[in-house]
Amino acid sequence: MNPDTALPAGAAPGKHEIVLRGMPASGGIAIGPAFVYEREEVYVTERTLSEEETGLELDLLRDAFTRARRELLKIAEYARTQLSEEAAEIFESQLMMLKDPVLVRSLETRIQQERKNADFLIHHEIEKYKALLGATDDPLFRERMTDLDEIAQRLLRSLQKKRLRATVEGRHIIVAASLTPADSILFSRSDVLGYAIDTGGITSHTAILARSLKIPSVVAIHEATRHISTGDLLILDGQRGLLFIYPTAERIAEYRQKIHRIEELEESLKGLVDLPCVTPDGHAVEISANAEFVNECDYILAQGGNGIGLYRTEHLYILEGEFPSEQEQFVAYSSIAQSMYPRPVIIRTFDIGGDKFLQDRQAEENPSLGWRGIRVMLDMPDIFKQQLRAILRASTTRNIKLMFPMISGLVELRVARKHLNDARAELREQGVPFDEHMQVGMMIEVPSSVMLADIFAKEVDFFSIGTNDLIQYLLAVDRNNDLITDLYQEFHPSVLRAIRHVVNTAHEAGIWAGVCGEMAGNPMSSVLLLGLGLDELSMVPSVIPTVKEIIRSTSFEEARRFTDTVLAMATATETKTCVAEYMRVRYPDFFTPVQNGDTCPILGLG
Amino acid sequence: MIEREVMIKNKAGLHTRPAAALVKIASRYQSDFFIEKDGFEINGKSIIGVMTLAAERGSTLRLIFEGPDENDAAIDICKLFDEGFGEP
């Protein structure tokens, strides 16, 4: 039988194909059976024990604690070796709770005195603590309730001798309403084909972990668990954010073809790793990667990345729910700088706020226009200075650069730089070494900073354009708002003009300019960004070879001419059509037409 | 028995990291160690107990030490509060 036409296990030829749309969170395509993961609700009933049972119940309780601690220790260890010290710490604080002498003792005493079953008492004790924590308004404390829930669940499962469910036999696409960080770490030890998650955003833990482990994922699908049962055949398109249930034979053939093309393309691009990113007429562009975790460095280097153009530090906060100490940050920054040495690493100071910060704090009416990025840090000078000290101390390897996010006016930049100078003075006084010549740059993502680019250019060493926010602010479009997603237009003439203005202004002032937003990682925009004169493009590591190959086969002259043509256009429809047409004709290997007349890159997030 | 009154100085309050540091040090001593806040008392060797205090910056706590090494325990633990747990 021809393997290309054979239907895979789980295929249901009689049923109608269902297509669900979510947000692409981690690129790649997966075809395989579903495994619907339900966070097992453990039910607890109250029981009175006989005298003999009481002794036995005490043994069961102690066993349950021992087993739960062992499980957590394993997870923490796995997180530490495979991900990062910060990821491990979430589990360590839970481990400490499992060793709490008061919790253990009061459970033992209550079993003896009240003669109730252990699971009932565990539930009762934990609920008591949760009620106490729930009485406070401080989000940092309220977040600990999740930890309490998790340890209660773990103890109960362990008591009822249920195996940890977060492992699967065979290769599956995991379908879930939501996944905790512990779930996704446990799943990553099995042979997981992909994740289809109903909730979450592309900055959720699961999405971050999936990208760093290169597992195709789609999040925010909303109704995957409602339609899918374990064993159903699925196609998960992590590039376009699509999920097909009961795919038709034609769909399966189409996607097998796609996978085949992806593999071929990846294979053909392998030879590029050590080649420089230079156009045939000698114009060089630095290609670097956006990263969160140290363990991504190997992959970035294997893809031919020339450095890290955006090292996001927020995950240090997000994973822990609190700000890491100076020493912890120093360790994190040093290890990423050493892993990439001598290639540059651009560390962005905490960009917390908007969707990421203190979720159950009094919600802001308009978070993306609110307290976020540099604004938060300037309001928390102690925490900011701690981070600046940690970055400076790590900079002795001399390959670290620093940048500030969300700068909207010169005063902000100057105050931020003053904190940096204070940190430098402190370190000098304490005799702690650091790189005196570390480059300091800023992100251009607020339209006001585009307008003031000439003024900023005199006071920084580089610009890095954050296209995601810049487009959002420039076009007044919230890209998470389903009603207006079609108005979020990367190729809108105003966006292209803004980028051109920033690059030209930077060059006139003798500084360099890069892009670290998603636009840099969209191969469709590669020729345009080349022609606009960007010095650096920083992107998800998986698309590096594609972008490099496009740049290596386009002369700077050609790109400039093409960019002039596009920039003369007046509407986003014209620019988009023109770019898509050009790219599809010029690079047929990399782009594929899709149903609605659009063109989609074969590799990377579409 | 020794009683001491202390104030939370660090910005983030008695959250996970300071709570863990406090419990670790308290566990080194044989003496019992209790913390009272707003008429509510918890065992200072219990991480969950310390966290449920939800002690924010500026709150005042009463520390109670009782046992053979209560003096040393009191000195060590008060120092931790004085230094704001080494946090801003």
Side-chain angles (χ1 to χ4, degrees):
Chain A
M1 196 163 33
N2 180 346
D4 274 355
T5 52
L7 286 183
K15 297 203 181 176
H16 279 292
E17 179 180 87
I18 302 174
V19 185
L20 299 179
R21 196 169 274 277
M23 280 161 66
S26 176
I29 288 167
I31 304 181
F35 177 86
V36 180
Y37 174 64
E38 288 165 59
R39 301 220 60 190
E40 204 177 358
E41 282 299 319
V42 186
Y43 293 99
V44 170
T45 46
E46 182 177 352
R47 228 160 24 91
T48 308
L49 308 172
S50 68
E51 195 152 349
E52 307 85 76
E53 280 178 317
T54 310
L56 197 63
E57 198 72 6
L58 276 174
D59 290 341
L60 289 176
L61 177 78
R62 289 178 191 131
D63 277 356
F65 265 93
T66 314
R67 222 176 5 250
R69 285 182 201 133
R70 207 163 43 214
E71 283 171 9
L72 259 182
L73 205 62
K74 263 202 281 188
I75 298 176
E77 192 49 39
Y78 181 80
R80 178 173 305 109
T81 53
Q82 299 299 311
L83 298 164
S84 65
E85 195 60 40
E86 305 84 59
E89 277 186 19
I90 320 175
F91 306 109
E92 269 155 15
S93 73
Q94 289 185 14
L95 196 58
M96 226 174 143
M97 294 184 194
L98 278 179
K99 290 180 179 162
D100 191 313
V102 174
L103 175 66
V104 177
R105 209 179 317 131
S106 67
L107 285 170
E108 288 179 355
T109 319
R110 288 185 68 182
I111 289 180
Q112 286 164 318
Q113 288 175 353
E114 298 172 34
R115 294 237 194 114
K116 296 285 184 201
N117 49 323
D119 39 4
F120 171 72
L121 292 175
I122 289 171
H123 177 73
H124 195 259
E125 279 289 305
I126 297 287
E127 287 302 313
K128 198 176 76 188
Y129 287 126
K130 276 172 57 190
L132 287 171
L133 271 176
T136 156
D137 294 329
D138 191 321
L140 275 182
F141 290 112
R142 297 191 59 149
E143 276 164 20
R144 297 283 82 83
M145 286 171 66
T146 325
D147 285 331
L148 282 172
D149 269 332
E150 284 203 25
I151 67 159
Q153 287 290 316
R154 190 171 296 283
L155 277 173
L156 293 175
R157 270 193 311 242
S158 155
L159 198 62
Q160 300 180 357
K161 296 255 165 58
K162 297 223 164 104
R163 265 169 44 85
L164 273 173
R165 279 280 301 278
T167 57
V168 250
E169 298 293 324
R171 297 165 61 89
H172 286 86
I173 294 171
I174 307 295
V175 180
S178 67
L179 283 185
T180 65
D183 290 335
S184 31
I185 285 174
L186 282 169
F187 273 126
S188 68
R189 300 192 298 184
S190 340
D191 213 353
V192 169
L193 291 174
Y195 289 116
I197 313 290
D198 275 343
T199 54
I202 49 176
T203 52
S204 65
H205 292 306
T206 309
I208 292 173
L209 292 174
R211 279 198 294 278
S212 96
L213 298 165
K214 298 184 289 293
I215 299 171
S217 304
V218 179
V219 297
I221 308 174
H222 303 307
E223 42 183 355
T225 45
R226 196 158 65 83
H227 290 287
I228 300 170
S229 315
T230 293
D232 287 348
L233 181 72
L234 304 177
I235 296 179
L236 182 77
D237 182 339
Q239 277 150 267
R240 290 160 60 208
L242 298 176
L243 178 66
F244 300 90
I245 313 169
Y246 319 126
T248 58
E250 297 78 50
R251 183 81 63 196
I252 296 170
E254 173 198 335
Y255 269 92
R256 279 185 173 149
Q257 185 67 27
K258 276 190 185 171
I259 292 177
H260 186 65
R261 283 183 74 180
I262 290 175
E263 285 169 353
E264 260 184 4
L265 198 55
E266 279 177 347
E267 192 54 39
S268 75
L269 293 174
K270 273 198 179 137
L272 279 176
V273 175
D274 298 317
L275 297 176
C277 185
V278 178
T279 62
D281 51 349
H283 178 83
V285 179
E286 182 113 349
I287 298 289
S288 49
N290 297 348
E292 260 123 334
F293 297 108
V294 170
N295 70 321
E296 291 174 278
C297 293
D298 287 347
Y299 180 55
I300 293 170
L301 295 173
Q303 290 287 86
N306 220 332
I308 291 178
L310 168 61
Y311 173 65
R312 301 187 183 91
T313 54
E314 305 77 71
H315 76 277
L316 298 170
Y317 170 87
I318 293 167
L319 285 174
E320 289 192 62
E322 58 190 57
F323 288 101
S325 70
E326 180 184 324
Q327 184 61 23
E328 286 168 304
Q329 293 183 59
F330 167 68
V331 171
Y333 306 152
S334 301
S335 79
I336 197 124
Q338 276 156 16
S339 304
M340 293 305 292
Y341 187 84
R343 298 170 186 80
V345 174
I346 302 179
I347 300 180
R348 179 177 70 185
T349 60
F350 292 125
D351 187 12
I352 300 173
D355 55 334
K356 293 172 199 150
F357 198 40
L358 307 175
Q359 278 144 7
D360 45 358
R361 200 185 184 84
Q362 61 280 30
E364 287 180 88
E365 182 105 348
N366 213 336
S368 56
L369 302 182
W371 194 52
R372 53 172 301 189
I374 197 73
R375 301 167 183 180
V376 175
M377 284 300 110
L378 295 183
D379 284 345
M380 297 182 163
D382 297 345
I383 287 169
F384 191 38
K385 191 122 86 28
Q386 235 174 31
Q387 180 173 39
L388 296 173
R389 281 178 55 104
I391 295 172
L392 284 167
R393 283 171 55 198
S395 71
T396 49
T397 46
R398 292 178 179 273
N399 58 331
I400 288 183
K401 299 174 189 180
L402 174 150
M403 70 178 169
F404 302 116
M406 274 294 285
I407 298 279
S408 60
L410 189 59
V411 174
E412 280 169 340
L413 176 68
R414 286 188 175 159
V415 177
R417 293 208 66 142
K418 184 183 176 303
H419 287 300
L420 181 65
N421 284 335
D422 290 350
R424 284 180 174 136
E426 266 178 36
L427 291 175
R428 255 181 235 119
E429 201 167 300
Q430 293 162 356
V432 180
F434 60 90
D435 178 6
E436 296 272 359
H437 306 289
M438 177 179 74
Q439 285 196 10
V440 178
M442 61 178 270
M443 291 201 54
I444 299 274
E445 46 192 339
V446 185
S448 62
S449 65
V450 176
M451 305 306 295
L452 296 177
D454 56 322
I455 292 172
F456 283 122
K458 294 184 188 127
E459 308 204 8
V460 290
D461 299 313
F462 64 91
F463 288 148
S464 185
I465 306 173
T467 46
N468 303 8
D469 276 328
L470 183 60
I471 296 171
Q472 180 157 269
Y473 293 139
L474 210 50
L475 304 181
V477 170
D478 172 0
R479 59 180 195 147
N480 295 320
N481 183 339
D482 290 344
L483 299 173
I484 48 171
T485 42
D486 57 325
L487 291 180
Y488 181 91
Q489 294 157 330
E490 280 189 339
F491 300 122
H492 194 286
S494 67
V495 173
L496 302 179
R497 283 169 188 231
I499 297 175
R500 180 173 62 180
H501 177 71
V502 171
V503 177
N504 291 347
T505 311
H507 289 171
E508 277 161 30
I511 66 171
W512 62 268
V515 168
C516 66
E518 268 161 44
M519 194 170 179
N522 179 1
M524 192 75 84
S525 59
S526 297
V527 172
L528 210 47
L529 295 177
L530 171 66
L532 284 166
L534 270 312
D535 303 285
E536 184 236 32
L537 301 174
S538 189
M539 60 200 73
V540 284
S542 56
V543 291
I544 289 176
T546 309
V547 173
K548 202 167 168 182
E549 175 61 22
I550 293 174
I551 291 176
R552 282 179 56 85
S553 42
T554 314
S555 77
F556 189 44
E557 245 338 282
E558 177 195 342
R560 288 260 288 266
R561 271 199 313 271
F562 173 64
T563 303
D564 286 344
T565 314
V566 176
L567 268 113
M569 293 174 171
T571 68
T573 320
E574 286 170 83
T575 53
K576 190 180 172 196
T577 315
C578 173
V579 172
E581 188 56 23
Y582 180 84
M583 296 306 279
R584 199 170 51 76
V585 172
R586 181 77 169 73
Y587 305 97
D589 290 348
F590 291 121
F591 299 95
T592 175
V594 290
Q595 297 88 339
N596 56 1
D598 275 359
T599 300
C600 178
I602 292 169
L603 291 174
L605 295 177
Chain B
M1 189 180 76
I2 300 180
E3 286 189 32
R4 292 273 185 277
E5 204 154 89
V6 291
M7 207 215 268
I8 305 284
K9 293 179 174 171
N10 62 315
K11 191 155 191 159
L14 203 46
H15 61 96
T16 315
R17 189 194 317 282
L22 179 66
V23 169
K24 272 184 198 154
I25 292 193
S27 309
R28 283 189 213 144
Y29 294 95
Q30 274 184 42
S31 300
D32 288 333
F33 167 45
F34 294 95
I35 308 177
E36 196 203 284
K37 182 189 164 224
D38 308 328
F40 181 69
E41 189 181 274
I42 59 98
N43 187 323
K45 295 182 182 180
S46 157
I47 180 98
I48 305 178
V50 173
M51 285 189 329
T52 54
L53 282 180
E56 293 162 20
R57 177 183 222 164
S59 28
T60 313
L61 309 179
R62 204 158 61 88
L63 312 182
I64 303 144
F65 305 88
E66 185 158 22
D69 48 7
E70 57 185 35
N71 271 319
D72 292 342
I75 293 170
D76 238 15
I77 288 171
C78 288
K79 190 163 154 250
L80 209 54
F81 280 94
D82 269 351
E83 293 166 349
F85 302 95
E87 293 189 353

Coordinates of all heavy atoms in Angstrom, one line a residue, chain A residues 514-574:
Chain A
G514 N 17.8 47.9 14.4 CA 17.3 46.5 14.1 C 15.8 46.4 14.3 O 15.2 47.3 14.7
V515 N 15.3 45.2 14.0 CA 13.9 44.9 14.3 C 13.9 43.7 15.1 O 14.5 42.7 14.8 CB 13.1 44.7 13.0 CG1 11.7 44.1 13.3 CG2 12.9 46.0 12.2
C516 N 13.2 43.7 16.2 CA 13.1 42.5 17.0 C 11.6 42.0 17.2 O 11.3 41.1 17.9 CB 13.7 42.6 18.4 SG 12.9 43.8 19.4
G517 N 10.7 42.6 16.4 CA 9.3 42.2 16.5 C 9.1 41.0 15.6 O 10.0 40.6 14.9
E518 N 7.8 40.5 15.6 CA 7.5 39.4 14.8 C 7.7 39.6 13.3 O 7.9 38.7 12.5 CB 6.1 38.9 15.0 CG 6.0 37.9 16.1 CD 4.6 37.8 16.7 OE1 3.6 37.8 15.9 OE2 4.4 37.7 17.9
M519 N 7.7 40.9 12.8 CA 7.9 41.2 11.4 C 9.2 40.7 10.9 O 9.3 40.2 9.8 CB 7.7 42.7 11.2 CG 7.6 43.1 9.8 SD 7.2 44.9 9.8 CE 7.1 45.1 8.0
A520 N 10.2 40.8 11.8 CA 11.6 40.3 11.4 C 11.5 38.8 11.1 O 12.3 38.3 10.3 CB 12.6 40.6 12.5
G521 N 10.7 38.1 11.8 CA 10.6 36.6 11.6 C 9.6 36.2 10.6 O 9.3 35.0 10.4
N522 N 9.0 37.1 9.9 CA 8.1 36.8 8.8 C 8.8 36.9 7.5 O 9.1 37.9 7.0 CB 6.9 37.7 8.8 CG 5.9 37.4 7.7 OD1 6.1 36.5 6.9 ND2 4.8 38.2 7.6
P523 N 9.1 35.7 6.9 CA 10.0 35.7 5.7 C 9.4 36.6 4.6 O 10.1 37.1 3.8 CB 10.0 34.2 5.3 CG 9.6 33.5 6.5 CD 8.7 34.3 7.3
M524 N 8.1 36.8 4.7 CA 7.4 37.6 3.7 C 8.0 39.0 3.7 O 8.0 39.7 2.6 CB 5.9 37.7 4.0 CG 5.1 38.2 2.9 SD 4.9 37.1 1.6 CE 3.6 36.1 2.2
S525 N 8.5 39.5 4.8 CA 8.9 40.9 4.9 C 10.4 41.0 4.7 O 11.0 42.1 4.8 CB 8.5 41.5 6.2 OG 9.0 40.8 7.3
S526 N 11.1 39.9 4.5 CA 12.6 39.9 4.5 C 13.2 40.9 3.5 O 14.1 41.7 3.8 CB 13.2 38.5 4.2 OG 12.8 37.7 5.3
V527 N 12.7 40.8 2.2 CA 13.3 41.7 1.2 C 13.0 43.2 1.5 O 13.9 44.0 1.4 CB 12.7 41.3 -0.2 CG1 13.2 42.3 -1.2 CG2 13.2 39.9 -0.6
L528 N 11.8 43.4 2.0 CA 11.4 44.8 2.4 C 12.3 45.3 3.5 O 12.8 46.4 3.4 CB 10.0 44.7 2.9 CG 9.1 45.9 2.7 CD1 9.2 46.5 1.3 CD2 7.6 45.5 3.0
L529 N 12.5 44.5 4.5 CA 13.4 45.0 5.7 C 14.8 45.1 5.2 O 15.5 46.1 5.7 CB 13.3 44.0 6.8 CG 11.9 43.9 7.5 CD1 11.9 42.9 8.6 CD2 11.4 45.3 8.0
L530 N 15.3 44.3 4.3 CA 16.6 44.4 3.8 C 16.7 45.7 3.0 O 17.6 46.5 3.2 CB 16.9 43.2 2.8 CG 18.2 43.3 2.0 CD1 19.4 43.3 2.8 CD2 18.2 42.2 0.9
G531 N 15.7 46.0 2.2 CA 15.7 47.2 1.4 C 15.6 48.5 2.2 O 16.0 49.6 1.9
L532 N 14.9 48.4 3.4 CA 14.8 49.5 4.3 C 16.1 49.8 5.0 O 16.2 50.9 5.6 CB 13.7 49.3 5.3 CG 12.2 49.4 4.8 CD1 11.2 48.8 5.8 CD2 11.9 50.8 4.5
G533 N 17.0 48.9 4.9 CA 18.4 49.2 5.4 C 18.6 48.8 6.8 O 19.6 49.2 7.5
L534 N 17.7 47.9 7.4 CA 18.0 47.4 8.7 C 19.3 46.8 8.9 O 19.7 46.0 8.0 CB 16.8 46.5 9.1 CG 15.6 47.0 9.8 CD1 15.8 47.9 10.9 CD2 14.6 47.6 8.8
D535 N 20.0 47.0 10.0 CA 21.3 46.4 10.2 C 21.2 45.1 10.9 O 22.1 44.2 10.8 CB 22.2 47.3 11.1 CG 22.3 48.7 10.5 OD1 23.1 48.8 9.6 OD2 21.6 49.6 11.0
E536 N 20.1 44.9 11.6 CA 19.9 43.6 12.3 C 18.5 43.2 12.3 O 17.6 44.0 12.4 CB 20.4 43.8 13.8 CG 20.4 42.6 14.6 CD 19.5 42.8 15.9 OE1 18.5 43.5 15.9 OE2 19.9 42.2 16.9
L537 N 18.3 41.9 12.2 CA 16.9 41.3 12.3 C 16.9 40.2 13.4 O 17.8 39.3 13.3 CB 16.4 40.7 11.0 CG 16.4 41.7 9.8 CD1 16.1 41.0 8.5 CD2 15.4 42.8 10.0
S538 N 16.1 40.3 14.3 CA 16.1 39.3 15.4 C 14.7 38.6 15.4 O 13.7 39.2 15.4 CB 16.3 40.0 16.8 OG 16.5 39.0 17.7
M539 N 14.7 37.2 15.4 CA 13.5 36.5 15.1 C 13.5 35.2 15.9 O 14.5 34.8 16.5 CB 13.4 36.2 13.6 CG 14.6 35.4 13.2 SD 14.9 35.5 11.4 CE 15.6 37.2 11.2
V540 N 12.3 34.5 15.8 CA 12.3 33.1 16.4 C 13.3 32.3 15.6 O 13.4 32.4 14.4 CB 10.9 32.4 16.3 CG1 10.0 33.0 17.3 CG2 10.3 32.5 14.9
P541 N 14.1 31.5 16.3 CA 15.2 30.8 15.7 C 14.8 29.9 14.5 O 15.6 29.7 13.6 CB 15.8 29.9 16.8 CG 15.1 30.2 18.1 CD 14.1 31.3 17.8
S542 N 13.6 29.3 14.5 CA 13.2 28.4 13.5 C 13.2 29.0 12.1 O 13.4 28.3 11.1 CB 11.8 27.8 13.8 OG 10.9 28.8 13.9
V543 N 13.0 30.3 12.0 CA 13.0 30.9 10.6 C 14.3 31.5 10.1 O 14.4 32.0 9.0 CB 11.9 32.0 10.5 CG1 10.5 31.5 10.6 CG2 12.1 33.1 11.5
I544 N 15.3 31.4 11.0 CA 16.6 32.0 10.7 C 17.1 31.5 9.3 O 17.5 32.3 8.4 CB 17.7 31.8 11.8 CG1 17.3 32.6 13.0 CG2 19.1 32.1 11.3 CD1 18.3 32.4 14.2
P545 N 17.2 30.2 9.0 CA 17.7 29.8 7.7 C 16.9 30.3 6.5 O 17.5 30.7 5.5 CB 17.6 28.2 7.8 CG 17.5 27.9 9.2 CD 16.8 29.1 9.9
T546 N 15.6 30.4 6.6 CA 14.8 30.9 5.5 C 15.2 32.4 5.2 O 15.4 32.7 4.1 CB 13.3 30.8 5.9 OG1 13.0 29.5 6.3 CG2 12.5 31.2 4.7
V547 N 15.1 33.2 6.3 CA 15.4 34.6 6.1 C 16.8 34.8 5.6 O 17.1 35.6 4.7 CB 15.2 35.4 7.5 CG1 15.7 36.8 7.3 CG2 13.8 35.3 7.9
K548 N 17.8 34.0 6.1 CA 19.2 34.1 5.6 C 19.3 33.8 4.2 O 19.9 34.5 3.4 CB 20.0 33.1 6.5 CG 21.5 33.4 6.5 CD 22.0 32.6 7.6 CE 23.5 32.6 7.6 NZ 24.1 31.7 8.7
E549 N 18.6 32.7 3.8 CA 18.7 32.3 2.4 C 18.1 33.4 1.4 O 18.6 33.7 0.4 CB 18.0 31.0 2.2 CG 17.9 30.5 0.7 CD 19.2 30.2 0.1 OE1 20.2 30.0 0.8 OE2 19.3 30.2 -1.2
I550 N 17.0 34.0 1.9 CA 16.4 35.0 1.1 C 17.3 36.2 0.9 O 17.5 36.7 -0.2 CB 15.0 35.5 1.7 CG1 14.0 34.4 1.6 CG2 14.5 36.8 1.0 CD1 12.7 34.7 2.3
I551 N 17.9 36.6 2.0 CA 18.8 37.7 2.0 C 20.1 37.4 1.1 O 20.6 38.2 0.3 CB 19.2 38.2 3.4 CG1 18.0 38.8 4.0 CG2 20.4 39.2 3.4 CD1 18.2 39.2 5.5
R552 N 20.6 36.2 1.3 CA 21.8 35.8 0.5 C 21.5 35.7 -1.0 O 22.4 35.7 -1.8 CB 22.3 34.4 1.0 CG 23.1 34.6 2.3 CD 23.6 33.2 2.8 NE 24.4 32.5 1.8 CZ 25.7 32.7 1.6 NH1 26.3 33.5 2.4 NH2 26.3 32.1 0.7
S553 N 20.2 35.6 -1.3 CA 20.0 35.5 -2.8 C 19.3 36.8 -3.4 O 18.8 36.8 -4.5 CB 19.2 34.2 -3.1 OG 18.2 34.0 -2.2
T554 N 19.3 37.8 -2.6 CA 18.7 39.1 -3.1 C 19.8 40.2 -3.0 O 20.4 40.4 -2.0 CB 17.5 39.6 -2.2 OG1 16.7 38.5 -1.9 CG2 16.7 40.7 -2.9
S555 N 20.0 40.9 -4.1 CA 21.0 41.9 -4.0 C 20.4 43.1 -3.3 O 19.2 43.3 -3.4 CB 21.5 42.3 -5.4 OG 20.5 43.1 -6.1
F556 N 21.2 43.8 -2.6 CA 20.8 45.0 -1.9 C 20.2 46.0 -2.8 O 19.1 46.6 -2.5 CB 22.0 45.6 -1.1 CG 21.6 46.7 -0.1 CD1 20.5 46.5 0.7 CD2 22.4 47.9 -0.1 CE1 20.2 47.6 1.6 CE2 22.0 48.9 0.8 CZ 20.9 48.7 1.6
E557 N 20.8 46.1 -4.0 CA 20.2 47.0 -5.0 C 18.8 46.7 -5.4 O 17.9 47.5 -5.4 CB 21.1 46.9 -6.3 CG 21.9 48.1 -6.7 CD 21.3 49.4 -6.2 OE1 20.3 49.9 -6.7 OE2 21.9 49.9 -5.2
E558 N 18.5 45.4 -5.6 CA 17.2 44.9 -6.0 C 16.2 45.2 -4.9 O 15.1 45.7 -5.1 CB 17.2 43.4 -6.3 CG 15.9 42.8 -6.6 CD 15.8 41.3 -6.5 OE1 16.9 40.6 -6.6 OE2 14.7 40.7 -6.4
A559 N 16.7 44.9 -3.6 CA 15.8 45.1 -2.5 C 15.4 46.6 -2.3 O 14.3 46.9 -2.0 CB 16.5 44.6 -1.2
R560 N 16.4 47.4 -2.5 CA 16.2 48.9 -2.4 C 15.2 49.4 -3.5 O 14.2 50.1 -3.1 CB 17.5 49.6 -2.7 CG 18.5 49.5 -1.5 CD 18.4 50.7 -0.6 NE 19.1 51.9 -1.3 CZ 20.3 52.2 -1.2 NH1 21.1 51.5 -0.3 NH2 20.8 53.2 -1.8
R561 N 15.3 48.9 -4.7 CA 14.4 49.3 -5.7 C 13.0 48.8 -5.4 O 12.0 49.5 -5.5 CB 14.8 48.7 -7.1 CG 15.8 49.6 -7.9 CD 15.8 49.2 -9.3 NE 15.9 47.7 -9.5 CZ 17.1 47.1 -9.6 NH1 18.2 47.7 -9.5 NH2 17.1 45.8 -9.8
F562 N 12.9 47.5 -4.9 CA 11.6 47.0 -4.6 C 10.9 47.8 -3.5 O 9.8 48.1 -3.5 CB 11.8 45.5 -4.2 CG 10.5 44.9 -3.7 CD1 9.4 44.7 -4.5 CD2 10.5 44.4 -2.3 CE1 8.2 44.2 -4.0 CE2 9.3 43.9 -1.8 CZ 8.2 43.7 -2.6
T563 N 11.8 48.1 -2.5 CA 11.3 48.9 -1.3 C 10.7 50.2 -1.7 O 9.7 50.7 -1.3 CB 12.4 49.0 -0.3 OG1 12.8 47.7 0.1 CG2 11.9 49.7 1.0
D564 N 11.5 50.9 -2.6 CA 11.0 52.2 -3.1 C 9.7 52.1 -3.8 O 8.8 52.9 -3.6 CB 12.0 52.8 -4.2 CG 13.3 53.3 -3.5 OD1 13.2 53.5 -2.2 OD2 14.3 53.5 -4.1
T565 N 9.5 51.0 -4.6 CA 8.2 50.8 -5.2 C 7.1 50.6 -4.2 O 6.0 51.3 -4.3 CB 8.2 49.5 -6.1 OG1 9.4 49.5 -6.8 CG2 7.0 49.4 -7.0
V566 N 7.3 49.8 -3.2 CA 6.3 49.5 -2.2 C 6.0 50.8 -1.4 O 4.9 51.1 -1.1 CB 6.7 48.3 -1.3 CG1 5.7 48.1 -0.2 CG2 6.9 47.1 -2.1
L567 N 7.1 51.5 -1.0 CA 6.8 52.7 -0.2 C 6.1 53.8 -0.9 O 5.6 54.7 -0.3 CB 8.1 53.1 0.4 CG 8.3 52.5 1.8 CD1 9.4 51.5 1.8 CD2 8.3 53.4 2.9
A568 N 6.0 53.7 -2.2 CA 5.3 54.7 -3.0 C 3.8 54.4 -2.9 O 3.0 55.3 -3.4 CB 5.8 54.8 -4.4
M569 N 3.4 53.3 -2.5 CA 2.0 52.9 -2.5 C 1.2 53.5 -1.4 O 1.8 53.8 -0.3 CB 1.9 51.4 -2.4 CG 2.4 50.7 -3.7 SD 2.4 48.9 -3.6 CE 2.9 48.6 -5.3
A570 N -0.1 53.7 -1.6 CA -0.9 54.4 -0.6 C -1.7 53.6 0.3 O -2.1 54.0 1.4 CB -1.8 55.4 -1.4
T571 N -2.0 52.3 -0.1 CA -2.9 51.5 0.8 C -2.2 50.2 1.2 O -1.4 49.7 0.5 CB -4.2 51.2 0.1 OG1 -4.0 50.3 -0.9 CG2 -4.9 52.4 -0.4
A572 N -2.7 49.7 2.3 CA -2.2 48.4 2.8 C -2.5 47.3 1.9 O -1.8 46.3 1.8 CB -2.7 48.1 4.2
T573 N -3.7 47.4 1.2 CA -4.0 46.3 0.3 C -3.0 46.2 -0.9 O -2.6 45.1 -1.2 CB -5.4 46.6 -0.3 OG1 -6.3 47.1 0.7 CG2 -6.0 45.4 -0.9
E574 N -2.7 47.4 -1.4 CA -1.7 47.4 -2.5 C -0.3 46.9 -2.0 O 0.3 46.0 -2.7 CB -1.4 48.8 -3.0 CG -2.6 49.4 -3.8 CD -2.3 50.9 -4.0 OE1 -1.6 51.2 -5.0 OE2 -2.8 51.7 -3.3

